[in-house]
Coordinates of all heavy atoms in Angstrom, one line a residue:
K1 N -0.3 -10.1 2.3 CA -0.7 -11.4 1.7 C 0.1 -11.4 0.3 O 0.5 -12.5 -0.1 CB -2.2 -11.5 1.4 CG -3.0 -11.7 2.7 CD -4.4 -11.8 2.3 CE -5.3 -12.0 3.6 NZ -6.8 -12.1 3.4
C2 N 0.2 -10.4 -0.4 CA 0.9 -10.2 -1.6 C 2.4 -10.6 -1.4 O 3.0 -11.3 -2.3 CB 0.8 -8.9 -2.3 SG -0.9 -8.6 -3.0
L3 N 2.9 -10.0 -0.3 CA 4.4 -10.2 0.0 C 4.6 -11.7 0.3 O 5.5 -12.3 -0.1 CB 4.8 -9.4 1.2 CG 4.8 -7.9 1.0 CD1 5.0 -7.2 2.3 CD2 5.7 -7.5 -0.1
N4 N 3.7 -12.3 1.1 CA 3.8 -13.7 1.5 C 3.7 -14.7 0.3 O 4.4 -15.7 0.3 CB 2.8 -14.1 2.6 CG 2.9 -13.4 3.9 OD1 4.0 -12.9 4.2 ND2 1.9 -13.3 4.8
A5 N 2.9 -14.2 -0.6 CA 2.7 -15.1 -1.8 C 3.8 -14.9 -2.8 O 3.9 -15.7 -3.8 CB 1.3 -14.8 -2.5
K6 N 4.7 -14.0 -2.5 CA 5.8 -13.8 -3.5 C 5.4 -13.6 -5.0 O 5.9 -14.2 -5.8 CB 6.9 -14.9 -3.4 CG 7.5 -14.9 -2.0 CD 8.7 -15.8 -1.9 CE 9.3 -15.9 -0.4 NZ 9.7 -14.6 0.1
K7 N 4.3 -12.8 -5.1 CA 3.8 -12.4 -6.4 C 3.1 -13.5 -7.1 O 2.7 -13.2 -8.3 CB 4.9 -11.8 -7.3 CG 5.8 -10.7 -6.7 CD 6.9 -10.2 -7.5 CE 8.0 -11.3 -7.6 NZ 8.6 -11.7 -6.4
Q8 N 2.8 -14.6 -6.5 CA 2.2 -15.7 -7.2 C 0.6 -15.6 -6.9 O 0.3 -15.6 -5.7 CB 2.7 -17.1 -6.8 CG 4.2 -17.2 -7.1 CD 4.4 -17.1 -8.6 OE1 3.7 -17.8 -9.4 NE2 5.5 -16.4 -9.0
N9 N -0.2 -15.6 -7.9 CA -1.7 -15.7 -7.7 C -2.1 -14.5 -6.8 O -2.9 -14.8 -5.8 CB -2.1 -17.0 -7.2 CG -1.6 -18.2 -8.2 OD1 -1.8 -18.0 -9.4 ND2 -1.1 -19.2 -7.6
V10 N -1.7 -13.3 -7.0 CA -2.1 -12.2 -6.2 C -3.2 -11.3 -6.8 O -3.5 -10.3 -6.3 CB -0.8 -11.3 -5.8 CG1 0.2 -12.2 -5.1 CG2 -0.2 -10.7 -7.1
E11 N -3.7 -11.8 -7.9 CA -4.6 -10.9 -8.7 C -5.9 -10.5 -7.8 O -6.3 -9.4 -7.9 CB -5.0 -11.6 -10.0 CG -4.0 -11.7 -11.0 CD -3.1 -12.9 -10.7 OE1 -3.4 -13.7 -9.8 OE2 -2.0 -13.1 -11.4
E12 N -6.4 -11.5 -7.1 CA -7.6 -11.2 -6.3 C -7.3 -10.1 -5.3 O -8.1 -9.2 -5.0 CB -8.0 -12.5 -5.7 CG -9.3 -12.4 -4.9 CD -9.9 -13.7 -4.3 OE1 -9.4 -14.7 -4.8 OE2 -10.7 -13.6 -3.4
W13 N -6.1 -10.3 -4.6 CA -5.8 -9.3 -3.5 C -5.5 -7.9 -4.2 O -5.9 -6.9 -3.6 CB -4.6 -9.7 -2.7 CG -4.9 -11.1 -2.0 CD1 -6.1 -11.4 -1.3 CD2 -4.0 -12.1 -1.9 NE1 -6.0 -12.6 -0.8 CE2 -4.7 -13.2 -1.1 CE3 -2.8 -12.4 -2.3 CZ2 -4.2 -14.4 -0.7 CZ3 -2.2 -13.7 -2.0 CH2 -2.9 -14.6 -1.2
E14 N -4.9 -7.9 -5.3 CA -4.6 -6.6 -5.9 C -5.9 -6.0 -6.4 O -6.0 -4.7 -6.2 CB -3.7 -6.8 -7.2 CG -2.3 -7.2 -6.8 CD -1.4 -7.3 -8.1 OE1 -2.0 -7.7 -9.1 OE2 -0.3 -7.1 -7.9
A15 N -6.9 -6.7 -6.8 CA -8.2 -6.1 -7.2 C -8.9 -5.5 -6.0 O -9.5 -4.5 -6.1 CB -9.1 -7.2 -7.9
E16 N -8.7 -6.2 -4.9 CA -9.3 -5.7 -3.6 C -8.6 -4.5 -3.2 O -9.3 -3.5 -2.7 CB -9.3 -6.8 -2.5 CG -10.1 -6.5 -1.3 CD -10.3 -7.7 -0.4 OE1 -9.9 -8.8 -0.7 OE2 -10.8 -7.4 0.8
I17 N -7.4 -4.4 -3.3 CA -6.6 -3.2 -3.0 C -7.1 -2.0 -3.9 O -7.3 -0.9 -3.4 CB -5.1 -3.4 -3.2 CG1 -4.6 -4.4 -2.1 CG2 -4.3 -2.0 -3.2 CD1 -3.1 -4.8 -2.3
N18 N -7.2 -2.3 -5.2 CA -7.7 -1.3 -6.1 C -9.0 -0.7 -5.7 O -9.3 0.5 -5.7 CB -7.7 -1.8 -7.6 CG -6.3 -2.0 -8.1 OD1 -5.4 -1.3 -7.7 ND2 -6.2 -2.9 -9.1
D19 N -9.9 -1.6 -5.3 CA -11.3 -1.2 -4.9 C -11.2 -0.3 -3.6 O -11.9 0.8 -3.6 CB -12.2 -2.4 -4.6 CG -12.5 -3.1 -5.9 OD1 -12.4 -2.5 -7.0 OD2 -13.0 -4.3 -5.8
K20 N -10.4 -0.7 -2.6 CA -10.3 0.0 -1.4 C -9.7 1.4 -1.7 O -10.1 2.4 -1.0 CB -9.6 -0.8 -0.4 CG -10.3 -2.0 0.2 CD -9.5 -2.8 1.2 CE -10.2 -3.9 1.8 NZ -11.4 -3.5 2.6
V21 N -8.6 1.4 -2.5 CA -8.0 2.7 -2.8 C -9.0 3.6 -3.5 O -9.0 4.9 -3.3 CB -6.7 2.4 -3.6 CG1 -6.1 3.8 -4.1 CG2 -5.7 1.7 -2.7
A22 N -9.7 3.1 -4.5 CA -10.7 4.0 -5.3 C -11.7 4.5 -4.3 O -12.1 5.7 -4.4 CB -11.3 3.1 -6.3
Y23 N -12.1 3.8 -3.3 CA -13.0 4.3 -2.3 C -12.4 5.4 -1.5 O -13.1 6.5 -1.2 CB -13.5 3.1 -1.4 CG -14.3 3.6 -0.2 CD1 -15.7 3.9 -0.4 CD2 -13.8 3.8 1.1 CE1 -16.5 4.3 0.7 CE2 -14.6 4.2 2.1 CZ -15.9 4.4 2.0 OH -16.7 4.8 3.0
L24 N -11.2 5.3 -1.1 CA -10.5 6.3 -0.3 C -10.5 7.6 -1.1 O -10.6 8.8 -0.5 CB -9.1 5.9 0.1 CG -9.0 4.7 1.1 CD1 -7.6 4.4 1.4 CD2 -9.7 5.2 2.4
Y25 N -10.2 7.6 -2.5 CA -10.1 8.8 -3.2 C -11.5 9.3 -3.7 O -11.6 10.3 -4.4 CB -9.3 8.5 -4.5 CG -7.8 8.4 -4.2 CD1 -7.2 7.1 -3.9 CD2 -7.0 9.5 -4.1 CE1 -5.8 7.1 -3.7 CE2 -5.7 9.5 -3.8 CZ -5.1 8.3 -3.6 OH -3.7 8.2 -3.3
G26 N -12.6 8.6 -3.3 CA -13.9 9.0 -3.7 C -14.2 8.9 -5.1 O -15.0 9.8 -5.7
L27 N -13.7 7.9 -5.9 CA -13.9 7.9 -7.3 C -15.2 7.3 -7.7 O -15.8 6.4 -7.0 CB -12.8 7.0 -8.0 CG -11.3 7.4 -7.8 CD1 -10.4 6.6 -8.6 CD2 -11.2 8.9 -8.1
T28 N -15.8 7.8 -8.7 CA -17.1 7.4 -9.3 C -16.9 6.2 -10.2 O -15.7 6.0 -10.7 CB -17.8 8.5 -10.0 OG1 -17.0 8.9 -11.2 CG2 -18.0 9.8 -9.1
A29 N -17.9 5.5 -10.5 CA -17.8 4.4 -11.5 C -17.3 4.9 -12.8 O -16.5 4.2 -13.5 CB -19.2 3.8 -11.7
Q30 N -17.7 6.2 -13.3 CA -17.2 6.7 -14.5 C -15.6 7.0 -14.4 O -14.9 6.8 -15.4 CB -17.9 7.9 -14.9 CG -17.5 8.6 -16.2 CD -17.6 7.8 -17.4 OE1 -18.4 6.9 -17.5 NE2 -16.7 8.0 -18.4
E31 N -15.2 7.5 -13.4 CA -13.8 7.8 -13.1 C -12.9 6.5 -13.1 O -11.8 6.5 -13.7 CB -13.6 8.6 -11.9 CG -14.1 10.1 -12.0 CD -14.2 10.8 -10.8 OE1 -14.3 10.1 -9.7 OE2 -14.3 12.1 -10.7
I32 N -13.4 5.6 -12.5 CA -12.7 4.2 -12.5 C -12.7 3.6 -13.9 O -11.7 3.1 -14.3 CB -13.5 3.2 -11.5 CG1 -13.4 3.7 -10.1 CG2 -12.9 1.8 -11.6 CD1 -14.1 3.0 -9.1
K33 N -13.7 3.9 -14.6 CA -13.8 3.4 -16.0 C -12.7 4.1 -16.9 O -12.1 3.5 -17.7 CB -15.2 3.7 -16.6 CG -15.4 3.1 -18.0 CD -16.7 3.4 -18.5 CE -17.0 2.8 -19.9 NZ -18.4 3.1 -20.3
I34 N -12.5 5.4 -16.6 CA -11.5 6.2 -17.4 C -10.1 5.6 -17.1 O -9.3 5.3 -18.0 CB -11.5 7.6 -17.0 CG1 -12.7 8.3 -17.5 CG2 -10.2 8.3 -17.5 CD1 -13.0 9.7 -16.9
I35 N -9.8 5.3 -15.8 CA -8.5 4.8 -15.4 C -8.3 3.4 -16.0 O -7.3 3.1 -16.6 CB -8.5 4.6 -13.8 CG1 -8.4 6.1 -13.2 CG2 -7.3 3.8 -13.4 CD1 -8.4 6.2 -11.8
N36 N -9.3 2.5 -15.9 CA -9.2 1.1 -16.4 C -9.0 1.1 -17.9 O -8.3 0.3 -18.5 CB -10.4 0.3 -16.0 CG -10.4 0.0 -14.5 OD1 -9.3 0.1 -13.8 ND2 -11.6 -0.3 -14.0
F37 N -9.7 2.0 -18.6 CA -9.7 2.1 -20.1 C -8.2 2.5 -20.5 O -7.7 1.9 -21.4 CB -10.7 3.1 -20.6 CG -10.6 3.3 -22.1 CD1 -11.2 2.3 -22.9 CD2 -9.9 4.3 -22.6 CE1 -11.2 2.4 -24.4 CE2 -9.9 4.5 -24.1 CZ -10.5 3.5 -24.9
D38 N -7.7 3.5 -19.8 CA -6.3 4.0 -20.2 C -5.3 3.0 -20.0 O -4.4 2.8 -20.7 CB -6.0 5.2 -19.3 CG -6.7 6.5 -19.9 OD1 -7.3 6.4 -20.9 OD2 -6.5 7.6 -19.3
L39 N -5.4 2.2 -18.8 CA -4.4 1.2 -18.5 C -4.5 -0.1 -19.3 O -3.6 -0.8 -19.5 CB -4.6 0.8 -17.0 CG -4.3 1.9 -16.0 CD1 -4.4 1.4 -14.6 CD2 -2.9 2.5 -16.2
N40 N -5.7 -0.3 -19.9 CA -5.8 -1.5 -20.7 C -5.6 -1.2 -22.2 O -5.5 -2.0 -23.0 CB -7.2 -2.1 -20.5 CG -7.5 -2.7 -19.1 OD1 -6.5 -3.1 -18.5 ND2 -8.7 -2.6 -18.6

């Protein structure tokens, strides 16, 4: 979907990808918070 959209308005799909990837790595809410805080 991100490829088809050619980078336009892909934020919702990227957020969903981040959620699914976080689940695969077994991250806790606190660990996700550390990542988001550093990136922001």
Side-chain angles (χ1 to χ4, degrees):
K1 290 180 178 180
C2 293
L3 295 173
N4 293 341
K6 298 190 182 300
K7 306 177 293 298
Q8 300 298 315
N9 302 316
V10 298
E11 292 79 9
E12 182 177 344
W13 297 319
E14 289 183 333
E16 193 171 348
I17 288 172
N18 287 335
D19 288 343
K20 289 180 178 292
V21 171
Y23 173 80
L24 291 176
Y25 286 94
L27 299 189
T28 65
Q30 178 59 30
E31 289 166 338
I32 295 173
K33 185 177 180 181
I34 292 172
I35 290 172
N36 291 337
F37 178 80
D38 281 359
L39 295 182
N40 294 330

